[in-house]
């Protein structure tokens, strides 16, 4: 029986809606149906890759993103998504290469490409990472403490914590709790205890408290790491990853960081 283009489009729309609503198994079933009926449709593979990625089936997701690139190689979004997946797989150089290709196709994306900055950091390209976060600060996101935090971390890797504080970005206005206290820690004006106390202040609901504690633990751990307190960094990162999972790319950053800490600790034994 022929499978009409209108039927393909309807199934794809339904699959997208299901995926956005968190019904990933149902979305996967529809995406599989479209792939079987229209094996050259890149959108079906893209949706299925997204579902696989959300289920942390990264090898299957990568295979589908690769199919999309082969069929439709001029779409910047697929390079963004595959670059992010490469990061989650610990393939940082491949991640950067995809982000670079994304920017070639759409140069505007360079300005606030924090994912690229994170890949630079974990690839050990700290100067490039610092430049990426400073560019975002100057052009697109001047009030985001996280740009300043990662810029600091890159500079600290290059020059040490004291020197990094001399070039810390002048950021104010990010109202997310406890970002101000985290940035004060990096500036040398506060402590890790200040960060953790701020995270629990004001009777947040369970979801908000989970979110606050995740970011508090992650960014205190990252500061401890560049300050040479590796054991504390490992302990705090393990807590963030295991106890306070969030549905955001930054949870994968924490997981990747935990893996790097464990690898480093294993080499030191």
């Amino acid at each position: 029986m022929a499978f009409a283009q209108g039927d393909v489009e309807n199934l794809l729309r339904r699959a997208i809606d299901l995926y956005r609503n968190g019904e990933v198994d149902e979305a996967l079933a529809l995406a599989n149906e479209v792939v079987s009926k229209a094996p050259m449709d890149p959108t079906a593979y893209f949706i299925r890759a997204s579902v696989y990625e959300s289920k942390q089936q990264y090898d299957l997701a990568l295979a589908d993103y690769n199919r999309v690139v082969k069929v439709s190689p001029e779409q910047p979004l697929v390079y963004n998504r595959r670059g992010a997946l490469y990061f989650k797989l610990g393939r940082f150089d491949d991640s950067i290469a995809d982000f670079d290709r994304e920017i070639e196709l759409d140069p505007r994306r360079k300005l606030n490409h924090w994912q690229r900055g994170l890949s630079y950091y974990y690839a050990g390209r700290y100067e490039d990472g610092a430049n990426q976060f400073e560019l975002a600060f100057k052009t697109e996101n001047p009030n985001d403490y996280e740009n300043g935090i990662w810029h600091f971390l890159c500079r600290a890797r290059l020059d040490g914590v004291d020197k990094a504080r001399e070039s810390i970005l002048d950021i104010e206005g990010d109202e997310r709790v406890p970002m101000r206290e985290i940035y004060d820690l990096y500036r040398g004006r506060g402590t890790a205890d200040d960060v953790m106390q701020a995270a629990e202040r004001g009777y947040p609901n369970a979801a908000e408290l989970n979110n606050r504690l995740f970011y508090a633990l992650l960014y205190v751990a990252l500061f401890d790491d560049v300050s040479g307190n590796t054991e504390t960094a490992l302990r705090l990162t393990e807590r963030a990853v295991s106890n306070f999972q969030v549905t955001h790319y930054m949870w994968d950053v924490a997981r990747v960081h935990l893996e790097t800490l464990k690898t480093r600790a294993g080499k030191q034994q």
Side-chain angles (χ1 to χ4, degrees), residues 6 9 31 44 48 51 88 111 113 116 125-126 175 178 180 185 190-191 208 235 241 248 253 255 259 264:
E9 292 173 355
R48 193 169 72 173
V51 175
K88 295 174 185 180
L111 298 181
H113 210 314
R116 185 176 181 233
R125 293 173 57 177
Y126 303 120
E175 297 301 322
R180 179 181 291 112
L185 170 66
T191 67
E208 174 65 14
R235 175 173 53 81
V241 171
H248 191 276
V253 174
R255 180 185 55 79
E259 291 171 3
R264 200 187 311 156

Side-chain angles (χ1 to χ4, degrees), residues 219-236:
Y219 282 125
V220 171
L222 285 161
F223 180 77
D224 276 322
D225 189 24
V226 296
S227 301
N229 303 321
T230 307
E231 289 186 10
T232 303
L234 179 58
R235 175 173 53 81
L236 294 178

Side-chain angles (χ1 to χ4, degrees), residues 110-114 116-118 120 126-155 158-159 164 166-171 183:
K110 179 179 181 179
L111 298 181
N112 193 30
H113 210 314
W114 53 272
R116 185 176 181 233
L118 293 171
Y120 279 143
Y126 303 120
E127 192 71 49
D128 290 328
N131 291 338
Q132 177 67 70
F133 291 112
E134 187 168 0
L135 177 65
F137 163 71
K138 288 181 176 178
T139 61
E140 293 278 304
N141 226 340
N143 300 321
D144 188 342
Y145 282 131
E146 288 183 273
N147 278 327
I149 288 167
W150 286 99
H151 176 269
F152 175 96
L153 291 168
C154 289
R155 298 309 320 174
L158 291 166
D159 306 320
E166 294 177 9
S167 60
I168 198 165
L169 302 180
D170 186 16
I171 296 176
Y183 210 51

